[in-house]
Amino acid sequence: VNERDVTGRLEALGSAAVPPPSDELMARFDGRRLSSRAPEARRHFRFPVLLPAAAVAALLVGFVLISVHRDGGTAPSVVLENAVDASVSTNGAATPARPGSTIPDGAEINVGPSGSVTVGGVTLGPGERAVVRAGRLQRLRAARQAIAAEWQAAPVSIDLEAHRTSRGVVRLEWNASSRDDVFGYVVYREDRTVVARRRATGLLAAADRDSPEGSRYVVVVLDAQLHPIARSQVATV
Amino acid sequence: VYERDTASVEHPTDERSLVERARSDAEAFASLYRAHAGRVHAFAWRRLGSREAAEDVAAATFERAWRALPDFRWRDGGFPAWLLRIAANEVTDHVRREARPSSARGQRALSLLVPVEGAPADEALGGDDPALRAALDRIRPRYAEALSLRYLADLDPADAAAALGVSPATFAVVLNRARQALERELRKEEAS
């Protein structure tokens, strides 16, 4: 079978002789039978009336939706009752969180190493993250766990010095990160215990009083979203 | 062989005036029917291979045409192409119905169609090709309609394109694909 065969067979079938329609079929549509079911005359006015009416209705609905949205009557948001050492990220832009400010739906709240945020009786502790959804706070995965899992991938760019004093206390000191987007520092012991949290502009030192012999430490640099962006080398005492 | 009754439609202008009158005049529609019933009936018979199916399709085509005539607009191909498009749709519906005999009700209806002993058989169709019709049933309905309008209804490409509601260029593409699809189906049948 090829295309020529197909065309030839179609043409043969199309020119095949066909017997005439039966008398019964030919008598089926005579004027007398059809006259009882004449088609209705078209109502040309339907479209000119219905289309503008539908357009006006759609415009009204649109205006109502826009005005409701502008009034903010149904736009969910939260008001910060308390905010210390925290930031709010909206559409990728981070701003400091202030008590009394209104946070829109979808914004993310990041609490710093020494801060806290209270909304609707819910308090976020240091290092915690939450997102505003439907006018309520929804805690995100604990920042502490996230940082602990991700810090090793951060580049080593600060220097950590650690030494044990005569009283068994480990003193930790580090230099400031040269990056512009530093939000704070978290000092970890190798068992993932958070030894200290420090703001970017605060004291860059900490002490660990319950330190076993041979403990290892690292300082992780966080940005406003509490993502590790740099770290120190691991120091052992 | 059925000869088309052209007594009442000798010129395109006559047909046009007849169609305009038929929008509201049953007698005028009956004249159109007498002029075109043979062509629609022959088209359906060639496509379906059965007198009974051809007469059912022809009757259904003119019933739909009678109801839809007020909406008819003159385009390329005119009234015959419009009528044959309706007939092609009716053929497609018929093929679909025939392909769904699984319900109990459908089975009972089919059992009534079994030829009765002694009933007159369909006349032999010259150039009959049941395998070709069966292959047309299996390809996409749009392809089957394009091939049917072009070859079985004997519309020229421009009128067939108008009947299918596409441009001549698009129709050429559809027709080419339809022929290829039909060729594949026929090859499959040969191989089996």
Side-chain angles (χ1 to χ4, degrees), chain A residues 17-21 26, chain B residues 1-7 34-39 42:
Chain A
V18 174
M26 289 309 294
Chain B
V1 176
Y2 181 75
E3 294 292 333
R4 185 181 174 201
D5 174 12
T6 56
R34 285 191 292 275
H36 294 283
R39 188 175 185 185

Side-chain angles (χ1 to χ4, degrees), chain B residues 18-172:
Chain B
L18 192 59
V19 169
E20 291 304 321
R21 280 198 292 124
R23 292 180 192 275
S24 56
D25 180 355
E27 286 294 347
F29 185 82
S31 295
L32 282 174
Y33 176 70
R34 285 191 292 275
H36 294 283
R39 188 175 185 185
V40 171
H41 172 263
F43 163 68
W45 193 327
R46 288 181 181 122
R47 175 66 182 81
L48 298 169
S50 151
R51 169 187 285 275
E52 186 180 50
E55 296 208 342
D56 282 352
V57 164
T61 297
F62 281 94
E63 281 172 9
R64 275 180 62 182
W66 171 243
R67 290 195 301 270
L69 195 56
D71 293 329
F72 169 67
R73 294 286 176 268
W74 284 96
R75 291 178 188 150
D76 294 339
F79 182 75
W82 179 74
L83 197 60
L84 286 164
R85 174 62 200 268
I86 295 175
N89 286 338
E90 287 296 330
V91 165
T92 300
D93 290 348
H94 179 89
V95 170
R96 282 189 185 135
R97 283 196 300 272
E98 290 296 300
R100 290 196 301 261
S102 55
S103 71
R105 189 175 173 183
Q107 292 288 3
R108 281 198 299 277
L110 282 181
S111 69
L112 298 176
L113 299 179
V114 173
V116 179
E117 194 173 344
D122 281 353
E123 294 92 327
L125 173 64
D128 198 10
D129 196 340
L132 186 67
R133 277 199 302 271
L136 281 169
D137 290 349
R138 291 195 299 271
I139 63 177
R140 288 172 57 182
R142 184 173 172 79
Y143 288 168
E145 285 176 15
L147 291 168
S148 299
L149 289 168
R150 176 70 185 91
Y151 294 105
L152 306 189
D154 198 26
L155 288 176
D156 65 37
D159 288 352
L164 208 58
V166 298
S167 69
T170 303
F171 182 75

Side-chain angles (χ1 to χ4, degrees), chain A residues 48-64:
Chain A
V49 171
L50 288 178
L51 283 179
V56 169
L59 279 173
L60 282 175
V61 171
F63 279 130
V64 168

Side-chain angles (χ1 to χ4, degrees), chain A residues 1-3 6-7 9-10 13-14 16-22 25-26 28-29 31 34-35 37-39 42, chain B residues 1-2 26-27 29-30 33 41 45-46 55 59 63 66 70-71 73 125-126 129 132 151 176 179 182-183 187 190:
Chain A
V1 178
N2 57 36
E3 190 172 347
V6 171
T7 305
R9 287 168 71 172
L10 283 165
L13 188 58
V18 174
S22 66
L25 179 67
M26 289 309 294
R28 188 162 179 171
F29 291 93
L34 286 171
S35 59
R37 48 193 183 92
R42 292 190 74 206
Chain B
V1 176
Y2 181 75
E27 286 294 347
F29 185 82
Y33 176 70
H41 172 263
W45 193 327
R46 288 181 181 122
E55 296 208 342
E63 281 172 9
W66 171 243
D71 293 329
R73 294 286 176 268
L125 173 64
D129 196 340
L132 186 67
Y151 294 105
N176 189 45
R179 274 195 296 257
L182 189 64
E183 188 182 328
R187 274 189 185 149
E190 271 194 356

